[in-house]
Amino acid sequence: MSNSPNGSTHSASGRDNPAGNSPSTMINRRNSRESPMPFYEIPSWVENVPSKIINDAKQSLREMPTTRPYTPRDDSRYTLGKLNHEPTSLSIASTDYETESRPASSRPTEVQRRAAKGLSAGLPDPVAPIVPTRLSKLNRQPSQDETPSNGSKAIVQPKFRATQNNRPAQNEASSNGTNTTAQTKPPLPANHERSSASSSASSQHRNSQSSKDESSDDNLIWKHEIDPLIETMITAYKKNHYEQYDQTCNDLYKALLEHNFFTKKNNKKRGELLKTLFSFIGSDNSIIKFHVARLSLAFQVSSTNNLRNIIRVIADLSSNKENDHFFLETNIIDLLFDTIERIDTQQNLESTTYFCTALKNLTVNNELIGLISQKNPFPLLDAILKNLLQLKDQTDLHPQLRDCLISLTDGLRNLAENDINRREFLTYDIINHLTFILKYFTDKSHGDLMKNVARILSKLTQHTDCCLKLVQCSSCYRSFLKILIKHESNQPLIVRVCFILGNMMAKSEDARVTFMKDSHALQTLTKLLHSYIQLDSLVLKPEKLDNDEATNQDMDNVDDANLNQFRSIENVINKVIRVLSNLAIAQENGLIIIRRDDCIDLLFKLLKTPSQHSEELLVHVLMALNNLSYYDDPQSYIIRHADTLAQLLVKYIRNEEKMDCVVEAFRVLGNLSRAKRIRDILMKCKVDRLAIHHCRSDNIELLYAVIGVLINLTVDEDKRECLKIYDGIDSLINIFEYSIQSDWQLASLVCKALWNYCDNNYEKKDNQWLWFTDEQLKILFNLFDESLHESSLESTDDTDLDELNKQLWSEEYFPVASRLYQRLVDENKYFQTNQT
């Protein structure tokens, strides 16, 4: 516009006239026929430019939206055979009975004899159950772990913590942060006084007597209630009566829970029952496996071997969707989480791997995702991730560590699909842990792991809060750049990393600046763009590029290899361009990018072959050029080749079959038309007529773009007559009438275009015909009467919306409209005076 409304418009408060000039002074200066300026250029008399003017101008730099890379829902489940390392064979031979139930005795020969008797009873048989003789009358002493070193028998009963899901709680030792499974009384020091020793001995005697009474009661309960259930369970197992086995195990679990036997690890019968359960572990029947696992977890088995086998059974169960009801209808998930919370991750890496495998399998089921999410597993998963990453330097553990992390990140990715979990990813340090995975695991052998992490982050960074959390992870920038360099040909990984970077650059100025500080950043993006454009030129294109809504997807179920490859390659190009476009929002970045000739030339190259690319890709190229052409720098490749670009864009605005391209092309022309030589080219190409034609559109975005071009065209006096000849004035007045009811920003643009149109020297007879008709003036004055009074603003029930509407009216519309109104009044009087 000839007289910048942004920089010098008048208002009652004077806040939009920073130089303090009166309206008459500014009009006089305008009438002095200064050289024309685009509407956004700051007039020479404005000395102090408010920061708001700059911010308003930069609104033309827009974040480039895009869709998340398409990833088909992975309903597959891990089976144990899929693990890369060789799992321990699942058989009774790998169980460790001694750790769980070895009797403590001063007679080692008896221990050896019992062990020998156990082996001779056929314990290594993976199928045959143990059927103890006179099970109810067996008398076993507590284990050495449960006996004080002074030889006294002290049985400590941990409190049972009732929970909603009836899951046994950890004992007091465990709740205090230790990994012990039962409390024991510490031995007396050697220099302890006799009185203390005597008092202690007396106390131990009372405890011993109490324990005997309790043990007697427990034995009676076990004999009359528990033993019959065990015998029935064994019989049902031997006869393959699975329904009876299922019901009996449920009854057994309830009885053990009711009498608090799960937490009494020194109960004499516990070890024998565990032996019986472990003997069933090789069964192929899911019901049997489930009850073995559930009862064993409830008993809080702790030895490494037994724990590994039990959790492996759970992982095996989870690999079949037919078993999901076990996890939905019982408390086994609670028991599993409690167990994993107690163990040392680093000492039980294989067990942790099986747990993560089960987590991945279970979170394939949406119902189970909801159930697991309700149990808030994130503190546990956060701790596991932290502990696993501490093993990163132990190269001998890398195969197992990789398997564990792949399963865990698979599960986290599924949990991330549920939006209710987003806050948990923020509350805990999981996002930071994920960036460390990318920092330390970037070899080709870690492809699945990197892709899992990228999938999680691509989901989370669609949300501003998660995106800003990732922005704060300083290591992620170098990690992403390293992946782009090392894994250029890995399309599924590259497209997701670029999508994440695009999200970060769209939402954070810090991210834009930080990423570009790396000297390899722009070079890497340019090389990546060049490689995929070359690859794209070698792909056989489908006959009609936009015949499917899924052109933005890198994978699809369409049975067409060429089409899928085309989509995949274009998706990468789209995401790389989006990163460049959003980077350019930061001025220092934009100035660097526009001077990189090989980078910008690639964008030109894509525009020159529209028939070979989808509309989505062309739109992204135009959006990037819109942001980049904002910077009017002599060294800019775009400015130096503006003539070529303008002529390319004219072809796009003539193709009304691709209206998104039309809108974006007009936006770029709005930036380019700041130069007079470009305005001359546009007039020769009859762009003025096309712009006026599109003023009849009901596409608001298109109206913004074409009116911007008209504003710049009418800066030149010799280009204003197009509005008169091709009914442009009537079209603008129609838009004005509509916009004062709904869009003050659009209304202000119309006023700028009309201001430029009537900015003529009316003392010249040959210019007087470039004026408004009486009917047009009547309509305009009526519209100004309606819209130039603040009292005319309508109120709604939404106070925030009303406040925004008032702000747009006072800052965007009123300063421009009031000056245009005054000009119409003054010039019309002058015109009428000359006529008389």
Side-chain angles (χ1 to χ4, degrees):
M1 180 175 175
S2 309
N3 208 354
S4 172
N6 281 342
S8 61
T9 51
H10 173 68
S11 67
S13 64
R15 61 180 175 178
D16 293 299
N17 183 8
N21 296 294
S22 67
S24 60
T25 302
M26 287 187 285
I27 291 175
N28 289 336
R29 293 190 179 188
R30 183 65 197 93
N31 288 338
S32 65
R33 315 311 304 158
E34 293 183 8
S35 59
M37 295 180 298
F39 73 91
Y40 41 77
E41 188 172 340
I42 307 302
S44 59
W45 60 80
V46 179
E47 298 174 358
N48 300 314
V49 181
S51 60
K52 178 183 176 301
I53 297 175
I54 300 173
N55 293 333
D56 287 347
K58 288 193 69 174
Q59 287 179 357
S60 63
L61 295 179
R62 300 182 304 121
E63 299 172 3
M64 182 186 291
T66 189
T67 53
R68 181 184 170 203
Y70 175 70
T71 304
R73 180 63 182 267
D74 182 11
D75 291 330
S76 64
R77 305 197 184 204
Y78 287 154
T79 59
L80 299 183
K82 283 188 178 181
L83 296 177
N84 292 330
H85 66 280
E86 186 67 27
T88 306
S89 106
L90 186 60
S91 70
I92 197 170
S94 62
T95 56
D96 185 1
Y97 299 124
E98 289 73 23
T99 301
E100 296 294 347
S101 57
R102 182 175 62 250
S105 173
S106 59
R107 296 169 291 178
T109 55
E110 182 177 349
V111 175
Q112 295 171 3
R113 179 178 58 81
R114 291 190 180 183
K117 182 178 180 181
L119 291 173
S120 65
L123 294 184
D125 184 356
V127 177
I130 299 174
V131 186
T133 305
R134 298 171 61 197
L135 188 62
S136 61
K137 294 185 179 181
L138 289 178
N139 184 15
R140 185 184 67 80
Q141 297 182 7
S143 69
Q144 291 176 348
D145 294 336
E146 297 158 357
T147 305
S149 60
N150 60 6
S152 302
K153 182 179 180 182
I155 302 176
V156 179
Q157 300 179 43
K159 293 182 179 180
F160 175 70
R161 177 165 50 89
T163 65
Q164 185 175 358
N165 293 296
N166 294 325
R167 67 179 181 188
Q170 302 174 21
N171 53 48
E172 293 176 3
S174 178
S175 65
N176 289 331
T178 65
N179 290 324
T180 56
T181 54
Q183 288 183 333
T184 57
K185 189 168 184 176
L188 294 175
N191 60 351
H192 199 274
E193 283 101 325
R194 179 181 297 273
S195 59
S196 298
S198 175
S199 174
S200 177
S202 175
S203 174
Q204 290 180 14
H205 176 74
R206 290 193 299 271
N207 289 340
S208 176
Q209 183 62 43
S210 174
S211 298
K212 287 181 180 179
D213 295 339
E214 182 179 288
S215 178
S216 177
D217 292 340
D218 288 350
N219 284 338
L220 288 174
I221 294 171
W222 200 282
K223 175 180 179 180
H224 295 292
E225 188 171 347
I226 306 299
D227 280 350
L229 291 173
I230 295 175
E231 295 288 355
T232 304
M233 176 188 70
I234 294 171
T235 301
Y237 172 81
K238 293 173 66 176
K239 295 183 177 180
N240 295 330
H241 292 168
Y242 298 126
E243 291 185 7
Q244 184 182 23
Y245 178 92
D246 182 40
Q247 183 59 50
T248 303
C249 286
N250 284 330
D251 293 341
L252 176 62
Y253 184 93
K254 292 177 183 177
L256 292 168
L257 182 65
E258 179 183 353
H259 298 295
N260 207 16
F261 284 136
F262 285 132
T263 59
K264 296 179 180 179
K265 301 199 78 171
N266 54 355
N267 184 277
K268 297 177 180 179
K269 311 297 176 61
R270 173 182 179 274
E272 295 299 333
L273 176 53
L274 281 174
K275 289 180 183 179
T276 302
L277 291 172
F278 290 152
S279 70
F280 300 161
I281 209 169
S283 173
D284 292 331
N285 185 272
S286 296
I287 295 175
I288 293 174
K289 288 181 179 180
F290 163 72
H291 285 292
V292 168
R294 187 190 187 202
L295 286 165
S296 298
L297 290 179
F299 273 122
Q300 298 184 359
V301 294
S302 58
S303 79
T304 300
N305 286 341
N306 290 348
L307 195 59
R308 180 184 63 238
N309 283 329
I310 292 304
I311 299 179
R312 188 181 176 204
V313 167
I314 295 174
D316 191 36
L317 282 172
S318 69
S319 66
N320 186 344
K321 66 179 180 180
E322 301 299 327
N323 297 328
D324 285 355
H325 66 94
F326 291 128
F327 299 93
L328 286 167
E329 298 168 2
T330 71
N331 66 333
I332 192 169
I333 292 178
D334 297 296
L335 296 172
L336 180 60
F337 285 176
D338 278 348
T339 300
I340 299 301
E341 284 174 358
R342 291 196 308 271
I343 69 173
D344 185 325
T345 300
Q346 299 182 20
Q347 297 298 321
N348 296 271
L349 185 55
E350 196 169 355
S351 296
T352 305
T353 302
Y354 291 137
F355 164 74
C356 294
T357 300
L359 180 71
K360 188 277 177 188
N361 290 341
L362 296 178
T363 52
V364 167
N365 183 320
N366 287 330
E367 193 173 357
L368 277 167
I369 287 179
L371 178 63
I372 291 173
S373 300
Q374 291 174 9
K375 300 180 184 300
N376 190 19
F378 291 94
L380 173 61
L381 301 181
D382 179 58
I384 291 175
L385 268 174
K386 180 180 179 181
N387 291 331
L388 290 175
L389 288 171
Q390 292 176 356
L391 303 175
K392 65 184 184 302
D393 297 325
Q394 300 186 31
T395 55
D396 57 320
L397 294 178
H398 271 198
Q400 282 183 276
L401 184 58
R402 182 181 63 243
D403 288 340
C404 192
L405 287 172
I406 288 174
S407 299
L408 180 54
T409 51
D410 257 327
L412 284 170
R413 177 206 166 202
N414 292 338
L415 289 172
E417 293 291 339
N418 192 329
D419 282 339
I420 67 172
N421 292 326
R422 193 176 85 250
R423 288 288 177 187
E424 306 304 328
F425 279 91
L426 290 169
T427 301
Y428 299 96
D429 215 17
I430 293 177
I431 291 179
N432 199 38
H433 293 326
L434 293 174
T435 63
F436 276 109
I437 290 177
L438 295 182
K439 181 178 180 180
Y440 297 113
F441 297 90
T442 57
D443 293 338
K444 287 189 176 181
S445 60
H446 304 137
D448 288 341
L449 181 55
M450 289 185 289
K451 187 167 68 172
N452 280 354
V453 174
R455 282 175 170 173
I456 297 170
L457 295 178
S458 67
K459 170 65 178 178
L460 295 177
T461 54
Q462 293 179 104
H463 305 281
T464 301
D465 47 7
C466 291
C467 197
L468 296 180
K469 177 80 171 179
L470 181 60
V471 166
Q472 298 170 7
C473 299
S474 58
S475 69
C476 73
Y477 301 95
R478 178 60 63 87
S479 297
F480 289 141
L481 197 55
K482 188 176 180 181
I483 290 173
L484 295 180
I485 295 172
K486 292 178 63 175
H487 304 280
E488 181 182 298
S489 61
N490 188 336
Q491 293 181 25
L493 179 59
I494 293 296
V495 75
R496 285 168 177 81
V497 169
C498 289
F499 178 72
I500 297 165
L501 284 171
N503 290 343
M504 295 170 67
M505 306 308 149
K507 294 181 171 63
S508 169
E509 184 78 0
D510 288 341
R512 298 173 198 129
V513 174
T514 303
F515 183 75
M516 280 288 282
K517 282 181 179 178
D518 194 299
S519 59
H520 297 93
L522 183 55
Q523 178 184 353
T524 300
L525 292 173
T526 302
K527 184 177 182 296
L528 200 61
L529 188 59
H530 178 267
S531 298
Y532 276 88
I533 289 176
Q534 275 195 324
L535 187 61
D536 179 70
S537 66
L538 301 176
V539 175
L540 181 64
K541 303 296 191 300
E543 293 182 2
K544 188 177 180 182
L545 296 181
D546 299 308
N547 61 347
D548 196 295
E549 295 179 356
T551 53
N552 64 320
Q553 301 175 351
D554 60 314
M555 298 176 65
D556 203 354
N557 294 325
V558 178
D559 188 18
D560 187 332
N562 287 332
L563 180 59
N564 286 335
Q565 187 180 18
F566 158 74
R567 290 173 178 170
S568 180
I569 294 171
E570 275 216 344
N571 206 11
V572 176
I573 298 173
N574 275 328
K575 299 302 185 285
V576 176
I577 291 175
R578 177 175 178 248
V579 176
L580 287 168
S581 179
N582 289 342
L583 275 172
I585 296 175
Q587 181 172 348
E588 57 187 283
N589 293 346
L591 292 174
I592 294 172
I593 295 172
I594 61 176
R595 296 168 185 170
R596 177 103 189 188
D597 290 7
D598 56 344
C599 179
I600 307 302
D601 185 62
L602 291 171
L603 301 180
F604 277 49
K605 183 177 180 179
L606 291 170
L607 281 187
K608 291 176 181 177
T609 55
S611 61
Q612 298 181 26
H613 305 291
S614 68
E615 182 177 4
E616 184 195 24
L617 176 58
L618 297 173
V619 168
H620 280 190
V621 173
L622 292 167
M623 292 178 73
L625 288 172
N626 176 44
N627 280 4
L628 294 166
S629 61
Y630 165 79
Y631 301 104
D632 190 5
D633 184 90
Q635 300 181 51
S636 166
Y637 184 94
I638 295 174
I639 299 302
R640 287 186 281 119
H641 297 83
D643 298 19
T644 301
L645 179 56
Q647 291 171 357
L648 281 172
L649 295 173
V650 169
K651 296 179 181 179
Y652 281 88
I653 64 175
R654 288 175 177 167
N655 185 0
E656 296 190 22
E657 291 183 1
K658 296 182 177 181
M659 287 306 299
D660 288 340
C661 288
V662 173
V663 173
E664 297 304 328
F666 266 112
R667 282 186 172 131
V668 182
L669 288 174
N671 286 334
L672 297 181
S673 57
R674 289 174 294 188
K676 187 178 186 306
R677 78 178 194 277
I678 301 301
R679 297 197 290 269
D680 292 340
I681 291 174
L682 297 184
M683 292 301 290
K684 289 179 181 179
C685 296
K686 302 180 181 180
V687 171
D688 55 335
R689 302 182 192 183
L690 283 170
I692 293 171
H693 166 71
H694 287 302
C695 282
R696 303 182 183 92
S697 172
D698 56 0
N699 183 328
I700 300 299
E701 294 298 317
L702 180 58
L703 291 179
Y704 267 91
V706 297
I707 294 175
V709 172
L710 287 174
I711 289 172
N712 287 352
L713 289 177
T714 52
V715 165
D716 301 329
E717 187 173 335
D718 61 342
K719 297 179 178 65
R720 295 169 187 165
E721 63 181 12
C722 65
L723 290 177
K724 186 79 171 182
I725 296 173
Y726 302 109
D727 298 326
I729 298 299
D730 289 333
S731 296
L732 288 174
I733 291 175
N734 288 336
I735 297 173
F736 187 38
E737 184 175 12
Y738 157 78
S739 59
I740 62 172
Q741 306 295 328
S742 59
D743 192 333
W744 294 117
Q745 289 178 309
L746 183 59
S748 71
L749 286 182
V750 174
C751 290
K752 292 172 185 179
L754 294 176
W755 174 283
N756 278 5
Y757 168 76
C758 65
D759 186 24
N760 291 278
N761 185 351
Y762 291 99
E763 295 175 357
K764 297 180 180 180
K765 294 291 184 180
D766 57 347
N767 281 343
Q768 291 180 0
W769 75 279
L770 292 177
W771 187 238
F772 303 96
T773 65
D774 291 341
E775 183 64 25
Q776 289 171 343
L777 283 173
K778 181 179 179 181
I779 295 174
L780 284 171
F781 286 141
N782 286 337
L783 293 176
F784 283 130
D785 286 341
E786 292 179 19
S787 60
L788 284 178
H789 302 284
E790 186 174 336
S791 58
S792 64
L793 293 177
E794 295 183 1
S795 299
T796 66
D797 295 333
D798 190 334
T799 55
D800 291 337
L801 182 62
D802 290 343
E803 184 62 31
L804 175 61
N805 192 43
K806 181 179 178 181
Q807 180 181 355
L808 291 174
W809 177 86
S810 61
E811 296 181 4
E812 298 283 344
Y813 173 72
F814 181 80
V816 184
S818 59
R819 291 179 59 221
L820 175 60
Y821 170 74
Q822 190 61 47
R823 165 170 279 186
L824 293 178
V825 171
D826 294 343
E827 298 287 0
N828 195 48
K829 288 180 180 178
Y830 172 81
F831 181 78
Q832 290 177 350
T833 301
N834 286 344
Q835 290 292 323
T836 59

